[in-house]
Amino acid sequence: MTQVEAPAWAPMTADERARFDRDGFLVVRGVLSPSEIDVARTAILGAFQRAGEPGGHGLGPTGALHQLSAVSSLPELAFLLDHPVAFRYIWSLLGWNVHVYHSHIDVHPQIQRKQKDWWHWHQDGGRQNREIETDPRPMLSVKLAYWLSDVSEPGRGNFTVLPGSHKTNWLPGPPTRGVPWPQPEGAIQITANPGDLVVFDRRLWHARSDNYSPVTRVGAFFGYTYRWIAGRDETAGLPGRPEWAGFTGVQRQLLGHAGDGSGDHAWGHFPQTTPLYGVLREQGLLDSSIPALIP
């Protein structure tokens, strides 16, 4: 576990990097302040309420919300994109030529009926896990999971992981979807308090436990990758919205709007007009020992 003490814009430590490489994830305690928790939680629960109304986003079979494009859905969550205590893990691992390609907000209330032991285990990245030939496949992206509810005990919809599995391409799962199957040996449910953060390699095999507790599970998730990988989030309309004027250059980059929008710019050919590069340069954090931080 990591306890937050580092100042803003400090890189991750050598110990954190070693543990991340070994386990595929880090748990970082107390990242968000009480006021930040309140802002994010209030916004997400408001979206949850609206989703269940006629004409709303809609809820899943157990009454849960899984809504993509977090900032397009809730612009008040933009501060989570580059929260300095959390975001340092992203640029430390991936460098400056990044964007958020996939994000979502989740709300899971108490499940009233016992569910079958469905196999929900997966790696993030979709077709990357079928179309890339190497073993292990490359990391390519890192995800931040902000916890906005009390999951300090198992059975509350906890993020469930198989430590060290990020360097394993396949798990022995069921022959087809829809077949009850036991979880893999060695899996653990991560416990966390509101404001805690989980940073994980997209290759880490993970799932969500069912929430049978009276505590509603609330979280926000942001996946970061290189700008030369296409995004899944719907962000094209953001520049036309009034909130856009209040977003920083780095936030705009992370939302898919940096430079002239060309493929060459996304390939990183113009660091001088890439906002995150500029901030890291001003802070003296372009580390030549880390390939992704070299211009």
Side-chain angles (χ1 to χ4, degrees):
M1 307 299 180
T2 294
Q3 186 68 36
V4 174
E5 295 178 353
W9 293 104
M12 66 189 298
T13 67
D15 176 67
E16 288 174 324
R17 192 178 289 275
R19 286 188 286 121
F20 187 83
D21 181 67
R22 180 193 68 200
D23 298 332
F25 71 97
L26 294 170
V27 180
V28 190
R29 302 297 185 189
V31 167
L32 299 181
S33 69
S35 62
E36 290 171 332
I37 296 168
D38 184 62
V39 168
R41 179 179 171 85
T42 299
I44 294 172
L45 288 178
F48 175 60
Q49 181 178 355
R50 292 189 297 274
E53 296 172 351
H57 178 276
L59 301 174
T62 62
L65 172 68
H66 177 69
Q67 188 165 341
L68 304 181
S69 303
V71 174
S72 294
S73 301
L74 296 172
E76 53 266 61
L77 298 184
F79 76 97
L80 296 176
L81 290 167
D82 59 344
H83 190 288
V85 181
F87 188 48
R88 67 194 188 100
Y89 296 100
I90 298 303
W91 57 260
S92 291
L93 290 163
L94 296 175
W96 51 267
N97 193 38
V98 295
H99 67 162
V100 171
Y101 78 111
H102 173 48
S103 63
H104 52 96
I105 54 173
D106 284 14
V107 180
H108 288 83
Q110 183 179 25
I111 296 175
Q112 300 299 324
R113 294 183 179 181
K114 172 68 176 175
Q115 303 292 297
K116 292 184 178 180
D117 293 325
W118 302 121
W119 180 266
H120 296 300
W121 288 86
H122 66 282
Q123 296 173 306
D124 287 347
R127 297 295 301 181
Q128 293 173 352
N129 299 311
R130 294 189 179 275
E131 295 169 356
I132 295 178
E133 300 171 347
T134 60
D135 188 1
R137 288 181 282 264
M139 180 170 65
L140 293 178
S141 68
V142 175
K143 204 166 193 177
L144 301 181
Y146 291 97
W147 295 107
L148 303 167
S149 61
D150 184 349
V151 288
S152 60
E153 298 178 9
R156 294 184 174 181
N158 304 64
F159 184 58
T160 306
V161 303
L162 188 61
S165 62
H166 56 304
K167 297 182 181 180
T168 300
N169 279 1
W170 301 101
L171 289 185
T176 61
R177 288 182 178 271
V179 176
W181 204 262
Q183 68 177 5
E185 184 178 355
I188 62 170
Q189 293 188 31
I190 292 178
T191 55
N193 294 309
D196 289 350
L197 175 79
V198 178
V199 186
F200 65 99
D201 184 321
R202 68 146 195 103
R203 300 171 296 177
L204 182 70
W205 287 89
H206 60 280
R208 171 183 46 80
S209 74
D210 289 325
N211 182 15
Y212 295 109
S213 81
V215 179
T216 296
R217 174 194 193 256
V218 183
F221 302 80
F222 296 85
Y224 300 75
T225 193
Y226 304 108
R227 292 172 59 228
W228 39 265
I229 294 176
R232 184 183 181 189
D233 276 7
E234 299 293 338
T235 61
L238 279 172
R241 295 170 60 171
E243 299 89 356
W244 188 252
F247 292 170
T248 68
V250 170
Q251 289 170 347
R252 293 180 181 189
Q253 172 185 329
L254 296 174
L255 292 167
H257 298 273
D260 61 4
S262 68
D264 274 355
H265 204 286
W267 275 32
H269 290 171
F270 303 99
Q272 303 298 334
T273 54
T274 304
L276 180 54
Y277 174 87
V279 172
L280 294 175
R281 181 183 59 190
E282 290 171 4
Q283 298 285 335
L285 293 168
L286 294 174
D287 187 345
S288 61
S289 69
I290 301 173
L293 287 174
I294 298 173

